[in-house]
Amino acid sequence: MTQTVGVKTLGATLSALVARMEERVPYAAVLVTDQSGEAVRMATTEEQVSEPAPSRGAVFTVHTGHSLIEAATDDLTEQALTEAAERAVNAAIDAGIDRAAPPVNPGPPAEAAFDTRQHIPWESVPLAERVQRARELREAACSVDSRVVNAFGMISHTRTRELFVNRSRTLFQDLARTQSVVGVTTREGDHQAQLWDGRGRRGGWEAAEMPEGTVDTLVADCLKITGAPRLEAGYYDCVFSPEFSGIFAHEAFGHGTEGDMFLKKRSRGEQFLGKEVAAPGVDMYDDPSRDGEAASYYFDHEGQTATRTQVISNGVLVRPLTDLHTAHALKIPRTANGRRESFSKKAYTRMSNTFFGPGNAEFADMVADVAYGFYLERPSNGMEDPKSWGIQLEGYMASEIRDGKLTGRVFSPVIVTGYVPELLQSISMVGRQVEITGLGMCGKGYKEWVKVTDGGPHLRLKARLA
Amino acid sequence: MSGNMDLESIARVLKAAPGVSGWALHARQVESHQLYRVFRNEQARRVAHTHSVRVTVHTRKQEGGKESQGEAAFTLTGPRPELTPAQVAVAVERAKLVANAPWALPGPASLPQVPLEDPRVAAEPDAVIAELVTEMDAAAGDAPLCASELFADRVQTTVCTSEGFEGSYGATELFSEFVLLADNGTDSVEVQGIRRARRARELDLGAVVGRHASWAGDRLIATLPTGGTLPVVFGEESLDTLFDTFLAHAGGRSRYEGWSRLSEGKPLIEALSGDPITLTVDPLAPWMLGSQPMDSDGQIAHKVTVVDQGRFVERTASKRFADYLGIRATGASGNTVVAPGSTPLADLLAHGPVLHALRFSTFHPSSVTGAFSGELRTAYLHLPDGSVRPVVGGSVSGDVWHAFARATLSAEETVRGGYRGPAGIRLEGVTVAGAT
């Protein structure tokens, strides 16, 4: 529905503008983004077919030698783009240009266009079929049990076209992402519970396929937590599900190794580069180039080509993630993690697909020698403190393990708190199979939301639960 | 404000479109001035202009003798948004695939006058930001202020509907985020603050930064709390979300979806032995962050006493859920206003051990279940001998339905963003996880 300008066709105009800007400033770049989509949400009590608010605009960046000056506009006419470029340059000159400062490296020359492969293009599937699929998810959830008082099926698709131009690079990417989600609300007397599940992948309609059994398991789990008691607070042996491992990776050393936090002296990780922070055998990565994942891309919002970064190798903290300004200021290598919520927001160092690497343990072996502990599933949210390495992870389900067996007793909700290295060093077993969850979003602190995924294998560790 | 959003032309296209039974336009123009600093150096300065018009189209159809309503929405962007008949036709086709219970968009009404736009912020955003920087730096003193972000935004919102409603209002918003470090030579810690307000006066940045600087110093000597069951006095940031469960269960949506626990005229909490609460949703309070004279449907906002002296009185409801439930439409949201109690805050903290919880990593009681958990970022343990010990880490957890059965509200009030109410709320029997 939203009219997309030919973002890709703006390359020549923008190259000329950047060249003109660099007659007066040492470094200039521009990013144009055009994001649109569709969300079909069929709930028991309300149906919606809508377009999430699109985001279309350009942001011009100037580096003065010390700082970044930017001007953003949602007007993509040539005149408006020229005016925005001019505003950025004038503001930079007002702020003061330092031509003696080390120059920004614009990256190796490149001119490339990247597309997401959609096996079944989203637009090729009639809307009626998309609506029907969402209704089927809802009906499947409602039909499982009469205690389901509300359910929804949602299928959404996002298309993002991005063009980055600086003096050396002209890069275009067309990213398509599809997500299917099913959610239920259950009620038994005065007890209610709510859960959702689904998957998000890069791609077209084929990515809307929900794994078999998802809905039945979801409803069963939601009923288990309806009125479930909370567990007694204490330190326990735990097994984290791949989803829980994912949120742990994200909060523990995803945020802790965002390089802009180093620049602000907000990360203790800076003092631990090259040092052991986790148990031997623990590996962690951030990889925007991972095929098919919902948060993958070909280049970041500052023109850096996407590659995998190993954050932790065999328990040792290897390197931080960076954005342009951070890498330049700290004189460390760039990674492809300079990302913005939209053209109207600033770029920060942000994660992409963040996950623990695989080990060689089986789930059954992880549970087998737990005298008393919990299997944690269905995380809801998390928060970190990269300076003090405090962490909070919340989830909906803690299943009791006694004498090496799951007893079937469930507690809800559950909160994990602790000191990050203590938790990481308590990891005693790492599962074989890495699973990535594609439904996540991440804020920088408490704002600036970008698409991320996280995951990992099952992990066995000790943690403080409540 | 830049741009010239011609809503009349858009409305004309909608009026002429076949198959449209109703429509609404929700337009926003935003001018955002943003400053980012690393320590006291400018890292980035930005200005962003954005424009959007959310177009909602309704259709009606009869099926099996029952009328249903179709709905579809899309957004036009850019400073000169244009709507074509072809776009409306696509929306109508989309809407026809949806079958909701019918509800009517709001009709003509006069907009309540609520002061939300500070002329100074609107006219001189960069000057206001510069003054805030000065105020913030002075309050931080020698404390390392390692990161700060200051935004001054001006937003113009306009809504018009097919039923004849037209309303427009301007608002300003100041946003501040800052991080203070503290270091004792062997350890260093940070305290992050976030504050939003319509005007510099309510932002009160100097005082806020000063309090955070004090907390940063205390955090250096803070230890894990001892685990157990304790009375906890919730204050500062935790007050922003403490009433979210009650507000969700008091809303039209939860009733319509079948999971509201509340019935009009019945007690909010059974077996109450603490202070009964009086909870009002007020979208018309001058300069408060949750104030808005109308919601995005064009429903005029009303102040609603939701809970009066512990008894549930009236639901809040958007026009949709009001029509579904046959109740008064009050508008979608507003500020949370809680009547203060009669006990001085100092008394709530007396006769320890009592935990005074001010800041959490995150604190969001479940809207549905009422369960809450939060890792402590800034808290003080008040001990029986009158001494006070800063604590950090560990968590508090509980359930608002049980915890508010024995609540005591402070006599002192505080105003922060979209909350006005007791500065401290003491809940008994909260689980504290910490050192074993």
Side-chain angles (χ1 to χ4, degrees):
Chain A
M1 179 72 68
T2 302
Q3 289 180 316
T4 59
V5 288
V7 166
K8 200 174 178 177
T9 65
L10 289 172
T13 303
L14 297 174
S15 289
L17 278 176
V18 166
R20 203 183 312 160
M21 293 168 79
E22 288 195 339
E23 290 170 4
R24 298 166 68 197
V25 298
Y27 176 81
V30 58
L31 175 78
V32 181
T33 68
D34 180 359
Q35 181 171 298
S36 58
E38 180 185 79
V40 177
R41 188 178 188 277
M42 299 288 131
T44 310
T45 50
E46 188 181 347
E47 298 187 337
Q48 294 172 345
V49 178
S50 60
E51 286 184 1
S55 170
R56 291 172 60 241
V59 53
F60 288 86
T61 304
V62 171
H63 199 277
T64 64
H66 297 293
S67 64
L68 294 168
I69 301 293
E70 295 192 324
T73 176
D74 62 0
D75 189 343
L76 295 183
T77 59
E78 191 167 339
Q79 184 190 337
L81 291 169
T82 304
E83 286 170 3
E86 191 70 11
R87 275 202 305 276
V89 168
N90 290 339
I93 290 168
D94 286 349
I97 302 291
D98 182 358
R99 291 194 178 270
V104 168
N105 181 352
E111 191 161 328
F114 306 95
D115 287 317
T116 305
R117 191 163 25 139
Q118 296 190 55
H119 294 288
I120 307 172
W122 178 263
E123 293 80 8
S124 72
V125 178
L127 177 61
E129 193 175 329
R130 305 198 288 263
V131 168
Q132 185 56 27
R133 177 72 66 85
R135 281 204 180 110
E136 285 168 5
L137 285 173
R138 176 189 72 193
E139 296 310 317
C142 286
S143 66
V144 175
D145 195 286
S146 61
R147 289 168 290 178
V148 175
V149 294
N150 196 53
F152 71 85
M154 184 170 83
I155 297 179
S156 61
H157 182 76
T158 306
R159 188 89 179 262
T160 308
R161 298 168 179 89
E162 295 175 334
L163 176 67
F164 173 85
V165 177
N166 70 6
R167 88 176 77 106
S168 162
R169 323 197 94 197
T170 299
L171 303 172
F172 173 80
Q173 60 188 353
D174 184 343
L175 304 173
R177 187 175 76 239
T178 301
Q179 192 163 288
S180 57
V181 182
V182 58
V184 293
T185 307
T186 54
R187 180 170 186 173
E188 243 184 312
D190 258 355
H191 298 295
Q192 303 84 12
Q194 200 169 54
L195 271 185
W196 63 91
D197 204 348
R199 81 195 282 255
R201 298 277 294 164
R202 223 166 62 177
W205 179 246
E206 73 281 357
E209 198 63 45
M210 186 85 76
E212 203 173 328
T214 301
V215 175
D216 287 348
T217 307
L218 175 74
V219 176
D221 284 352
C222 197
L223 289 168
K224 282 181 197 169
I225 65 169
T226 307
R230 296 191 80 129
L231 55 77
E232 190 176 333
Y235 281 94
Y236 295 101
D237 283 314
C238 299
V239 178
F240 280 6
S241 69
E243 273 185 297
F244 232 102
S245 298
I247 198 169
F248 181 32
H250 180 97
E251 300 299 345
F253 263 103
H255 285 299
T257 51
E258 289 169 339
D260 52 354
M261 305 296 259
F262 287 21
L263 193 62
K264 297 165 184 168
K265 299 297 172 196
R266 293 190 60 193
S267 176
R268 190 168 291 196
E270 188 180 11
Q271 300 153 32
F272 280 78
L273 286 173
K275 295 181 183 167
E276 199 171 274
V277 292
V282 174
D283 297 316
M284 204 185 108
Y285 305 91
D286 184 86
D287 187 0
S289 65
R290 197 174 155 101
D291 190 37
E293 301 299 352
S296 293
Y297 43 85
Y298 298 99
F299 58 88
D300 72 5
H301 289 154
E302 296 174 311
Q304 181 74 11
T305 304
T307 53
R308 181 161 94 162
T309 302
Q310 181 155 16
V311 176
I312 296 175
S313 174
N314 201 24
V316 174
L317 185 59
V318 180
R319 62 183 293 193
L321 311 175
T322 60
D323 59 79
L324 169 71
H325 182 77
T326 300
H328 182 72
L330 294 175
K331 299 180 178 61
I332 57 177
R334 274 177 75 179
T335 65
N337 295 93
R339 303 181 68 195
R340 304 172 188 270
E341 179 181 288
S342 76
F343 72 91
S344 66
K345 300 292 182 74
K346 177 184 175 296
Y348 297 83
T349 308
R350 307 305 300 271
M351 284 174 267
S352 59
N353 307 299
T354 310
F355 52 96
F356 284 110
N360 53 18
E362 299 292 348
F363 175 70
D365 296 333
M366 293 182 178
V367 174
D369 67 340
V370 174
Y372 190 77
F374 293 94
Y375 177 47
L376 270 54
E377 297 175 271
R378 300 198 179 277
S380 55
N381 66 79
M383 187 55 75
E384 86 307 340
D385 174 358
K387 186 69 177 172
S388 299
W389 275 348
I391 191 170
Q392 162 177 340
L393 308 173
E394 286 188 88
Y396 292 110
M397 255 179 99
S399 299
E400 185 183 59
I401 306 169
R402 190 182 286 278
D403 299 331
K405 290 192 174 60
L406 288 160
T407 64
R409 196 161 177 226
V410 167
F411 297 82
S412 179
V414 60
I415 180 169
V416 181
T417 55
Y419 181 59
V420 168
E422 208 170 277
L423 284 164
L424 285 169
Q425 281 165 0
S426 79
I427 295 173
S428 54
M429 298 171 95
V430 179
R432 288 181 191 280
Q433 187 66 42
V434 173
E435 294 175 30
I436 304 281
T437 303
L439 300 181
M441 296 291 286
C442 170
K444 186 81 169 177
Y446 301 85
K447 60 182 181 63
E448 312 288 346
W449 296 94
V450 297
K451 180 69 195 168
V452 296
T453 73
D454 50 51
H458 282 101
L459 295 176
R460 164 83 185 268
L461 68 162
K462 283 183 91 72
R464 184 198 302 124
L465 308 181
Chain B
M1 301 289 268
S2 67
N4 175 26
M5 297 169 79
D6 184 359
L7 298 184
E8 282 180 20
S9 295
I10 294 172
R12 271 199 299 277
V13 174
L14 287 161
K15 282 174 188 165
V20 175
S21 65
W23 50 264
L25 302 177
H26 177 226
R28 274 169 60 87
Q29 296 182 70
V30 183
E31 181 176 322
S32 179
H33 292 246
Q34 308 165 0
L35 173 69
Y36 303 79
R37 299 196 312 163
V38 175
F39 288 91
R40 308 226 172 173
N41 304 314
E42 192 168 308
Q43 182 201 15
R45 186 179 280 276
R46 318 180 75 250
V47 181
H49 298 270
T50 53
H51 310 75
S52 65
V53 183
R54 184 81 169 160
V55 182
T56 304
V57 170
H58 289 187
T59 60
R60 289 283 174 108
K61 67 179 172 191
Q62 291 279 343
E63 223 166 39
K66 195 176 165 189
E67 188 174 42
S68 68
Q69 180 163 302
E71 297 169 43
F74 58 97
T75 305
L76 306 169
T77 59
R80 290 169 295 280
E82 289 178 16
L83 181 65
T84 65
Q87 287 174 295
V88 183
V90 171
V92 167
E93 288 309 306
R94 284 180 165 174
K96 284 179 178 172
L97 293 167
V98 166
N100 284 326
W103 64 281
L105 287 159
S110 55
L111 210 60
Q113 294 303 304
V114 191
L116 300 174
E117 185 174 48
D118 179 28
R120 181 89 205 294
V121 174
E124 300 175 90
D126 291 325
V128 171
I129 287 176
E131 288 163 12
L132 291 172
V133 166
T134 304
E135 187 180 350
M136 181 166 62
D137 287 353
D142 294 335
L145 181 61
C146 71
S148 51
E149 298 183 1
L150 291 163
F151 298 178
D153 292 358
R154 183 182 174 197
V155 183
Q156 187 69 35
T157 304
T158 306
V159 176
C160 46
T161 73
S162 54
E163 307 309 301
F165 174 80
E166 281 185 39
S168 187
Y169 70 94
T172 50
E173 182 173 332
L174 296 170
F175 167 84
S176 66
E177 179 175 335
F178 56 88
V179 181
L180 291 155
L181 301 179
D183 194 319
N184 61 7
T186 56
D187 196 10
S188 68
V189 297
E190 71 164 43
V191 168
Q192 182 180 24
I194 294 173
R195 186 90 169 177
R196 287 186 168 88
R198 301 275 181 204
R199 307 183 291 186
R201 183 188 302 176
E202 283 77 25
L203 197 68
D204 199 14
L205 197 53
V208 171
V209 170
R211 281 203 297 280
H212 282 73
S214 159
W215 295 337
D218 287 345
R219 190 162 174 184
L220 279 169
I221 54 167
T223 56
L224 262 181
T226 305
T229 302
L230 288 182
V232 175
V233 176
F234 291 83
E236 295 281 349
E237 289 175 12
S238 59
L239 297 170
D240 296 345
T241 52
L242 191 60
F243 293 89
D244 283 1
T245 308
F246 299 147
L247 291 169
H249 281 256
R253 175 180 287 279
S254 62
R255 174 74 182 85
Y256 189 64
E257 292 184 349
W259 52 270
S260 171
R261 287 171 60 143
L262 302 179
S263 300
E264 286 82 347
K266 298 279 173 59
L268 175 74
I269 306 278
E270 300 289 348
L272 183 74
S273 61
D275 287 349
I277 69 168
T278 293
L279 172 63
T280 302
V281 174
D282 185 1
L284 305 177
W287 303 114
M288 283 188 74
L289 210 54
S291 296
Q292 50 173 19
M294 62 185 179
D295 67 15
S296 59
D297 293 329
Q299 173 58 50
I300 293 297
H302 295 280
K303 183 176 173 178
V304 185
T305 300
V306 174
V307 178
D308 188 15
Q309 285 293 306
R311 194 162 294 276
F312 176 51
V313 178
E314 183 181 2
R315 286 187 189 281
T316 57
S318 64
K319 184 67 166 54
R320 173 196 295 272
F321 291 107
D323 281 7
Y324 288 174
L325 298 169
I327 60 177
R328 178 170 78 126
T330 64
S333 61
N335 303 291
T336 303
V337 178
V338 181
S342 56
T343 312
L345 181 59
D347 290 357
L348 297 185
L349 297 167
H351 312 299
V354 177
L355 187 68
H356 194 193
L358 304 180
R359 298 172 59 249
F360 292 95
S361 293
T362 62
F363 186 73
H364 291 281
S366 164
S367 294
V368 176
T369 68
F372 63 82
S373 303
E375 185 203 28
L376 294 162
R377 283 265 174 104
T378 300
Y380 294 88
L381 186 62
H382 291 247
L383 295 163
D385 63 4
S387 63
V388 179
R389 179 162 71 83
V391 295
V392 68
S395 64
V396 301
S397 53
D399 168 347
V400 294
W401 298 106
H402 290 102
F404 268 88
R406 288 191 296 153
T408 314
L409 313 178
S410 76
E412 295 88 340
E413 271 196 296
T414 186
V415 179
R416 35 175 309 114
Y419 171 87
R420 187 173 76 227
I425 296 176
R426 175 170 160 146
L427 304 178
E428 309 294 326
V430 176
T431 300
V432 178
T436 49

